[in-house]
Amino acid sequence: MNRSLPLIAKWVAIGAALAVLLWIAGIVASKGLVIPVVGIGLLGAAILVVYGTRRNIPAKYLFPGLVFMVALQIWPIVYTVATSLTNYGPSHQLSKEESVKYLVAQSVTEVAGAPRYALTVAVKDGQPVATADPFYLLTDPTTKKSQVGDAVGLTDLPDGDVEKSTTGRITKAKGYTILNAREVNARADLKDFAVPTPDGGGIKRVGLSEAFVGKPSLTYDTGSDSLKNATTGKTYVASQDANWVPSDGKGGTLAVGWKENVGLRNFTDALTNPTLRGGFFAIFIWNMVFAVISVLSTFVLGFLLALLFNDDRLRLKGLWRSILILPYALPGFVTALVWRSMFNQDYGLINSFLPGKIDWLGDPTAAKFAILLTNLWLGFPYMFLVCTGALQSIPGDVREAAKIDGATGWRTVRSIIMPLMLVAVGPLLLASFAFNFNNFALIFLLTDGGPFENNQTSVGSTDLLITYAYRLAIGGTTPNFGYASAISIFIFIIVALISLQGFRKAAALEEVN
């Protein structure tokens, strides 16, 4: 019995894991996502193969790490690469066919003089109220007939299957779950949902309890692949950049385009488009300068302080060390906001000690100096800690031997201490470079990438590539996820190449020592 308990517990755990995966697969399948369902099925099969037998002992330990590596590292990289090959963005999320349906549905306006239906929003019994296909339970204002409408059309409801309020609104229907006001408001898809009518119009929701009969002002002509606005008479045709543009070239595009593959266009635009290339290379140069100076300045200051407090003649070293690491102990975003206030041109603490009022955050050069100074304050305690640890790991006999050989203090530091310390600190310097190369929080909180020059808001004087990608994807007026993904891949390649070369140098230094 005692031997069977672990076996029972194992199969209970496997069954629970498979049940959770089955539940997740059901939710994903209801949204029509085939590939994720296949992936979940393969994951469930792998769990059975690995943990259902007594073999594959190493795999039992490696499997959880492999799953998380695929989910949190490999999949984001694959998805980013796939997105970089498209024009994906807020206005380019749908297929071309879906964009036509969306624009036509959005153009539906209420027919003048038409009576309004009494409306109740529902889903099929047993379906999730947040994601299931919606149904409109309607009462015709003229005939008082009960009907149910979906994405296909209208169907009559038997009077015996429904209950109504005094206003004619359906409060209960056989086979349907009624949504309350909070559930209706939580469903963004209902804003665009319309029940098609036989005459080419649609029934759309207005408020929580009424629906109107409307007709679209836009119509799609499959022969000419164009949309025509019956109200204005303007015709919109498909453009090469996946937008619906006026055929006469006058006026703006329609709000929604379509998603399509663009190949390497996002990459070539970053390198060849005059506007984008100028901004990209300017940001790249400053990004490199910022990362290199940040690493060098924090390391030099941290190393000098560590060297100073490693002297046995200094008293209260523990107290001074504790004080020096305080900037590292405070949350970085709080420190960045404090420094931002100190750099204020009119009321900042720094300008109060200076003869003139320097526009620290409004002048490009001053803003870059302010960022480097703030990052020095944030970063030197970390370097102080790692250098202190590395110095304390160097045997005292080595320094004594150098002293006996007549080496001066500077020669001992340069020829003995520094090479030995870089063996331990070298990989941390590379990690610090990678961190500072993508130091989004500091730039975002301190300058938000500004100041912006030449009356444009896309490329800031202190932008890093990561903040530039953020603005392209989320913060700008015309977000472009595809181009932002391409910039992210550039960042990955740059950091990877520099890190690879740095690790090779560190390995060579270790072999020499």
Side-chain angles (χ1 to χ4, degrees):
M1 181 65 181
N2 291 334
R3 297 180 59 184
S4 63
L5 284 177
L7 183 63
I8 294 173
K10 181 186 77 171
W11 282 105
V12 168
I14 293 174
L18 294 178
V20 171
L21 291 177
L22 183 63
W23 174 69
I24 295 174
I27 295 176
V28 174
S30 66
K31 298 183 178 181
L33 302 174
V34 178
I35 295 179
V37 173
V38 174
I40 293 172
L42 292 175
L43 178 60
I47 290 175
L48 279 176
V49 171
V50 172
Y51 295 103
T53 65
R54 294 184 178 181
R55 294 173 295 178
N56 304 319
I57 299 299
K60 297 182 192 305
Y61 294 95
L62 294 174
F63 184 75
L66 290 174
V67 170
F68 282 111
M69 183 181 70
V70 171
L72 301 179
Q73 291 187 330
I74 295 178
W75 168 245
I77 293 174
V78 171
Y79 187 77
T80 301
V81 172
T83 302
S84 70
L85 302 177
T86 69
N87 65 338
Y88 183 50
S91 60
H92 295 87
Q93 299 185 36
L94 308 174
S95 66
K96 189 174 183 179
E97 181 182 356
E98 290 171 335
S99 75
V100 170
K101 291 181 179 179
Y102 175 84
L103 290 168
V104 171
Q106 282 292 95
S107 70
V108 171
T109 55
E110 187 171 2
V111 176
R116 289 188 173 185
Y117 286 82
L119 167 70
T120 301
V121 183
V123 297
K124 287 285 190 180
D125 278 344
Q127 297 295 314
V129 297
T131 57
D133 292 335
F135 292 85
Y136 283 177
L137 307 180
L138 303 165
T139 301
D140 191 297
T142 304
T143 64
K144 307 301 180 182
K145 183 188 296 185
S146 301
Q147 296 175 301
V148 58
D150 56 14
V152 178
L154 287 169
T155 307
D156 291 340
L157 278 175
D159 291 336
D161 291 346
V162 300
E163 296 180 9
K164 298 181 180 179
S165 66
T166 55
T167 60
R169 184 169 179 264
I170 297 174
T171 57
K172 188 175 182 180
K174 183 178 179 180
Y176 295 93
T177 300
I178 307 298
L179 274 63
N180 58 38
R182 178 178 296 177
E183 292 166 341
V184 171
N185 290 329
R187 294 196 54 157
D189 60 326
L190 296 180
K191 295 178 182 179
D192 306 319
F193 181 74
V195 178
T197 56
D199 60 353
I203 300 174
K204 294 192 70 174
R205 178 178 70 93
V206 53
L208 297 172
S209 58
E210 287 187 323
F212 65 82
V213 178
K215 287 190 175 181
S217 59
L218 284 175
T219 56
Y220 178 66
D221 182 17
T222 56
S224 60
D225 190 22
S226 62
L227 288 164
K228 185 172 183 179
N229 191 318
T231 304
T232 63
K234 189 177 286 292
T235 300
Y236 296 87
V237 296
S239 66
Q240 293 183 349
D241 58 352
N243 284 311
W244 295 102
V245 299
S247 59
D248 57 4
K250 299 178 180 178
T253 63
L254 294 179
V256 176
W258 61 92
K259 179 182 175 182
E260 65 179 7
N261 292 324
V262 298
L264 299 176
R265 190 175 74 190
N266 289 320
F267 296 92
T268 57
D269 281 349
L271 300 175
T272 61
N273 184 292
T275 303
L276 298 176
R277 180 182 60 191
F280 176 80
F281 281 108
I283 293 172
F284 171 70
I285 292 171
W286 157 242
N287 205 151
M288 290 294 297
V289 170
F290 167 75
V292 170
I293 293 179
S294 293
V295 172
L296 291 179
S297 61
T298 54
F299 172 71
V300 169
L301 181 57
F303 172 67
L304 292 177
L305 290 172
L307 201 61
L308 173 64
F309 288 99
N310 198 50
D311 194 324
D312 294 333
R313 296 171 296 178
L314 188 65
R315 296 182 178 182
L316 302 176
K317 289 189 291 185
L319 175 62
W320 298 121
R321 285 170 175 166
S322 300
I323 294 174
L324 285 174
I325 65 171
L326 283 179
Y328 187 59
L330 295 173
F333 73 91
V334 173
T335 304
L337 293 175
V338 170
W339 276 90
R340 181 184 179 115
S341 66
M342 290 196 298
F343 282 123
N344 185 280
Q345 183 179 8
D346 298 316
Y347 309 106
L349 178 65
I350 295 177
N351 273 348
S352 66
F353 292 103
L354 299 176
K357 290 189 175 181
I358 300 174
D359 189 5
W360 291 103
L361 304 179
D363 178 76
T365 304
K368 291 175 181 177
F369 181 80
I371 288 172
L372 293 171
L373 182 61
T374 304
N375 207 34
L376 176 61
W377 173 263
L378 286 168
F380 87 85
Y382 170 75
M383 292 298 179
F384 170 68
L385 285 175
V386 298
C387 289
T388 298
L391 284 173
Q392 292 178 348
S393 67
I394 298 175
D397 297 343
V398 175
R399 280 176 283 189
E400 285 295 331
K403 187 176 181 179
I404 293 172
D405 288 340
T408 62
W410 167 244
R411 181 62 185 273
T412 302
V413 170
R414 183 170 61 87
S415 302
I416 304 296
I417 295 177
M418 185 65 74
L420 291 174
M421 190 176 66
L422 285 177
V423 174
V425 178
L428 297 177
L429 294 178
L430 292 174
S432 179
F433 176 85
F435 171 79
N436 282 293
F437 198 88
N438 293 306
N439 199 339
F440 174 85
L442 176 65
I443 304 298
F444 184 76
L445 294 173
L446 193 60
T447 65
D448 197 18
F452 297 89
E453 298 180 295
N454 301 324
N455 297 320
Q456 53 85 31
T457 58
S458 59
V459 179
S461 300
T462 59
D463 261 328
L464 304 182
L465 289 175
I466 188 67
T467 58
Y468 180 50
Y470 168 81
R471 189 175 297 108
L472 290 171
I474 300 173
T477 55
T478 56
N480 187 334
F481 299 156
Y483 185 65
S485 298
I487 298 299
S488 299
I489 292 173
F490 277 122
I491 296 173
F492 174 79
I493 293 173
I494 292 167
V495 174
L497 291 176
I498 294 174
S499 299
L500 178 62
Q501 186 65 20
F503 279 121
R504 286 178 177 174
K505 295 291 185 182
L509 184 64
E510 186 173 358
E511 291 175 3
V512 170
N513 283 279

